[in-house]
Amino acid sequence: MLIPCFACESRFRPDEYFRACHDYHRGKDVVAWTCPRCGNRDELRVFTGELGFGYARHGGFDVSDRVRVPGLRRRREDLRLDISLDEAVWRVPTGTRRLVGAH
């Protein structure tokens, strides 16, 4: 299973792909991802068994493309989203930690 970067068309194994996820926005239920090869930043929604790619619109997120990832699961926690596939789990924190102490 290889997951694509839509900007540079590189493909990544799940571990490399999900390690590049770095911020979870609970309100929009989207994850920020930065391509390890080209540096493009994308937002995506994690569903059971697939990833949804799209764009922020009218305060929400519209999914326009989907990539099937059999066995993919998600679990929302208070300050993170846990993404799991087989035995692996990747924890994507919310951006709230960066706001602590901000003026």
Side-chain angles (χ1 to χ4, degrees), residues 12-50:
F12 302 94
R13 290 183 317 274
D15 185 57
E16 187 177 14
Y17 190 89
F18 293 122
R19 278 189 286 124
C21 292
H22 52 81
D23 189 27
Y24 176 58
H25 188 291
R26 269 184 76 84
K28 289 195 279 183
D29 193 27
V30 296
V31 171
W33 176 81
T34 301
C35 178
R37 300 236 171 82
C38 73
N40 180 63
R41 185 179 184 271
D42 265 332
E43 290 184 329
L44 58 113
R45 187 168 280 162
V46 179
F47 297 105
T48 299
E50 66 183 11

Side-chain angles (χ1 to χ4, degrees), residues 55-99:
Y55 304 92
R57 191 168 123 177
H58 303 298
F61 187 79
D62 288 345
V63 173
S64 57
D65 294 301
R66 294 176 183 263
V67 173
R68 291 202 26 80
V69 183
L72 185 67
R73 295 177 314 280
R74 57 173 273 141
R75 181 180 174 142
R76 281 174 62 143
E77 299 290 341
D78 286 338
L79 295 175
R80 70 176 190 257
L81 178 71
D82 290 349
I83 302 168
S84 59
L85 180 65
D86 301 324
E87 301 300 317
V89 177
W90 300 272
R91 292 190 167 107
V92 184
T94 63
T96 58
R97 293 175 202 199
R98 280 185 255 137
L99 299 177

